[in-house]
């Protein structure tokens, strides 16, 4: 029996899949069940008085979709927009939201044991947007709690009262 098969037999196959992506020099990942599609960046319609990380909106097959640049939101990398800029379309609570990233890496499968709790950063960084950390192929992957981020009052893209309690 392979190590992976043995692990799944022991854990009951409770591994979760994450889509990994790059922002600047850092590797991040989010729950793949929230991913609707991956697209290239296209021109957005700007929204007056929106924060800098909300680039604007696009019309995606009849849905008006807000586009959030995570590079600006997390203050990592350089926010350039060209043919290589990637937008991950997410379905959060029935609402479509696009996030701009530098690149998409891979789909990774992690067990609960592989996910380390997020460190306490104090006031410098709000760890409620982190699910945890994982060491994958000698890279530290930051697991983003994308649902908490998108439903946060700070972004206001999805009503917080519509958030389901996982407990």
């Amino acid at each position: 029996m392979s190590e992976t098969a043995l692990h799944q037999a022991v854990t009951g196959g409770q591994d979760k899949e994450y889509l990994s992506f790059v922002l600047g020099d850092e590797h991040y990942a989010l729950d793949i069940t929230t991913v609707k599609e991956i697209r290239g960046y296209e021109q957005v319609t700007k929204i007056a008085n929106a924060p800098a990380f909300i680039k604007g909106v696009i019309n995606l097959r009849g849905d008006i979709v807000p586009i959030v640049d995570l590079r600006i939101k997390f203050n990592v990398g350089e926010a350039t927009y060209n043919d290589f800029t990637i937008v991950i379309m997410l379905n959060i609570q029935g609402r479509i939201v696009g996030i701009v990233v530098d690149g998409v890496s891979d789909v990774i499968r992690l067990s609960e044991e592989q996910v380390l709790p997020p460190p306490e950063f104090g006031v410098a960084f709000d760890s409620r947007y982190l699910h945890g950390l994982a060491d994958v192929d000698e890279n530290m992957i930051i697991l983003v709690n994308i649902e908490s981020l998108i439903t946060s009052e700070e972004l206001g893209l999805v009503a917080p009262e519509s958030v389901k309690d996982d407990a």
Side-chain angles (χ1 to χ4, degrees), residues 46-146:
K46 303 239 185 255
I47 303 296
N49 298 319
F53 55 83
I54 298 182
K55 299 312 297 174
V57 296
I58 64 167
N59 184 336
L60 180 67
R61 297 183 288 278
D63 288 325
I64 301 303
V65 177
I67 304 297
V68 177
D69 194 324
L70 287 189
R71 301 170 299 183
I72 297 170
K73 172 68 182 135
F74 291 158
N75 196 24
V76 293
E78 189 176 326
T80 57
Y81 305 94
N82 56 37
D83 292 342
F84 303 106
T85 305
I86 301 293
V87 179
I88 303 171
M89 293 295 176
L90 304 171
N91 187 340
I92 306 288
Q93 316 265 322
R95 174 85 191 259
I96 308 300
V97 177
I99 58 171
V100 180
V101 300
D102 287 322
V104 172
S105 303
D106 205 356
V107 174
I108 56 175
R109 181 174 291 214
L110 298 171
S111 67
E112 288 182 29
E113 294 81 30
Q114 289 175 286
V115 178
L116 305 170
E120 291 299 323
F121 289 108
V123 295
F125 188 88
D126 194 342
S127 61
R128 69 184 162 152
Y129 303 142
L130 298 182
H131 179 68
L133 301 169
D135 193 14
V136 177
D137 297 329
E138 299 189 23
N139 284 319
M140 186 60 68
I141 308 285
I142 301 164
L143 303 176
V144 178
N145 186 338
I146 199 68

